[in-house]
Amino acid sequence: MSIRIVGEALPNLPWQDRPAGCGDVIWRNTENPITGWNPTPQTARVFNSAVVPFDRGFAGVFRADHRDGKARLHAGFSTDGLQWSIEDGEIRWIDESGKPWQPNYAYDPRVVRLGDAWYVTWCTDFGGAALGLGMTRDFRTFVRLENPMVPFTRNGVLFPRKVHDRYLLLSRPSDGGHTAFGDIFLSESPDLVHWGRHRRVMTRGGSGWWQELKIGAGPIPVETDEGWLLLYHGVTRTCNGYVYSMGGAVLDAEEPSVVRHRSRGYLLTPETAYETTGFVPNVVFPCATLVDAPTGRMTVYYGAADTVTGIAHAHVGALIDHIRNDSELLPGDGMVCR
Ligand code: BMA
């Protein structure tokens, strides 16, 4: 079935065709991982990061854990989306009056273009883990805006346009630690300051186990004429700790709090050495996609084992077909929950 993707052409997105003999709907790039240990003098690990088309290449906001173990955000630039020049110093924010402002810690950024600016959401310290929000026009000057949510919330993901004249933000209420629960919610705002009309979008669970503990939104949703493609992480608990995999869902085009389809099985799970071994073993954590709308080619950026960054490729239409054909709706999916 032919699916139309809403968006711009991006002929230079980093891409590899599906390897011969591979039957997977999403496949890893053979150059993975694209970042390594100690990528800059101050930083130990760069992962769970967000990239966008910028200038004639790409820019990104990267989660960089420093050699003191604390997570901070760094800007980075690339001409091909594979080789990244990541700044050694963390992003220096100013507030809306132009005064310097720095978060205590900052991790798991997402970046979305809205109009002529890019907006960054991340997990910030606000008397506990909460969502931070900021904007930039050039990836040099970053302006911190009002925190959209009170603690404890993580995995804030903005939609790439207003729907019914409202900005939309996905989030995942959490606790102050390594949260052992969590569903995805949607909030709307007329101005990116006041948020409300909260809706429950998706719950953890299902007949399988890979997403039984918690789920959280991943990259910015991709708009198609079939609805919004949402990649997300699903977590299960084993005797050796949590395992993070990637799943996919299609949200209703007009009413994005309504799940139309969601993958029964995971789309990507830790299998390669750089996903199963590292600072936190067994983590695949998608945070960004690049999409060439006319061809439907999509490249997913994901953190691997809280240590390095990997990319994987898929065709949006084939991925949505796969999710639709292997879909399992849970109680509450397919309806407005408030
Ligand atoms: C989550 C976040 C992510 C991390 C994941 C696995 O709670 O801290 O940044 O990738 O745990 O450690």
Side-chain angles (χ1 to χ4, degrees):
M1 171 166 181
S2 158
I3 290 171
R4 189 176 66 86
I5 292 117
V6 179
E8 294 182 356
L10 192 60
N12 61 333
L13 93 165
W15 179 258
Q16 274 179 354
D17 284 332
R18 183 160 57 177
C22 170
D24 297 334
V25 73
I26 178 159
W27 56 95
R28 294 168 178 82
N29 191 290
T30 54
E31 302 292 311
N32 277 354
I34 62 166
T35 61
W37 278 95
N38 305 315
T40 79
Q42 287 202 79
T43 63
R45 301 175 301 274
V46 165
F47 56 100
N48 298 5
S49 300
V51 307
V52 290
F54 177 71
D55 219 351
R56 277 189 292 273
F58 306 94
V61 174
F62 292 83
R63 170 182 174 160
D65 288 10
H66 283 213
R67 290 169 184 230
D68 62 1
K70 198 193 264 192
R72 298 173 174 90
L73 300 184
H74 288 226
F77 301 89
S78 174
T79 54
D80 63 3
L82 288 169
Q83 306 257 345
W84 285 88
S85 166
I86 294 166
E87 314 249 295
D88 186 45
E90 70 180 292
I91 288 173
R92 293 281 159 196
W93 295 86
I94 53 172
D95 66 19
E96 289 176 88
S97 68
K99 293 200 195 74
W101 174 87
Q102 278 311 106
N104 171 22
Y105 58 73
Y107 61 88
D108 296 359
R110 310 321 198 258
V111 179
V112 65
R113 185 173 189 161
L114 290 169
D116 61 355
W118 286 269
Y119 287 79
V120 185
T121 52
W122 74 94
C123 182
T124 201
D125 180 19
F126 180 36
L131 295 186
L133 176 66
M135 65 86 84
T136 182
R137 294 184 194 282
D138 54 9
F139 288 85
R140 299 276 172 209
T141 300
F142 288 85
V143 181
R144 182 259 174 131
L145 304 171
E146 291 284 344
N147 292 339
M149 299 279 154
V150 297
F152 292 83
T153 313
R154 294 175 166 105
N155 296 300
V157 176
L158 284 164
F159 277 61
R161 68 167 173 87
K162 288 180 173 177
V163 178
H164 302 306
D165 211 29
R166 293 285 192 273
Y167 296 101
L168 298 180
L169 176 69
L170 297 164
S171 65
R172 209 279 307 286
S174 59
D175 65 14
H178 300 291
T179 315
F181 61 88
D183 298 334
I184 299 174
F185 288 76
L186 183 73
S187 309
E188 63 175 56
S189 169
D191 54 9
L192 291 172
V193 175
H194 304 90
W195 293 93
R197 280 171 57 89
H198 311 293
R199 300 286 180 268
R200 192 177 191 171
V201 181
M202 287 170 67
T203 58
R204 63 196 184 275
S207 60
W209 286 353
W210 67 274
Q211 54 181 341
E212 50 88 16
L213 188 71
K214 58 179 168 177
I215 56 175
I220 305 304
V222 176
E223 186 173 11
T224 78
D225 59 358
E226 278 290 296
W228 300 90
L229 171 64
L230 176 68
L231 300 178
Y232 63 97
H233 61 263
V235 183
T236 189
R237 183 162 37 190
T238 74
C239 61
N240 281 323
Y242 292 175
V243 176
Y244 283 68
S245 304
M246 184 174 87
V250 181
L251 309 180
D252 188 82
E254 291 296 313
E255 191 71 65
S257 75
V258 171
V259 179
R260 289 289 167 217
H261 316 284
R262 65 187 279 186
S263 47
R264 191 184 53 79
Y266 54 70
L267 300 174
L268 206 67
T269 199
E271 287 176 14
T272 65
Y274 55 86
E275 294 161 351
T276 59
T277 309
F279 190 71
V280 179
N282 298 315
V283 180
V284 161
F285 197 97
C287 285
T289 58
L290 296 173
V291 179
D292 179 40
T295 63
R297 294 178 306 150
M298 178 173 77
T299 296
V300 185
Y301 285 72
Y302 65 96
D306 285 12
T307 306
V308 296
T309 306
I311 62 175
H313 310 289
H315 288 282
V316 172
L319 190 57
I320 289 178
D321 277 343
H322 173 89
I323 294 169
R324 190 172 28 210
N325 294 334
D326 187 37
S327 181
E328 176 186 44
L329 292 183
L330 305 189
D333 293 345
M335 62 176 80
V336 174
C337 298
R338 47 181 286 198

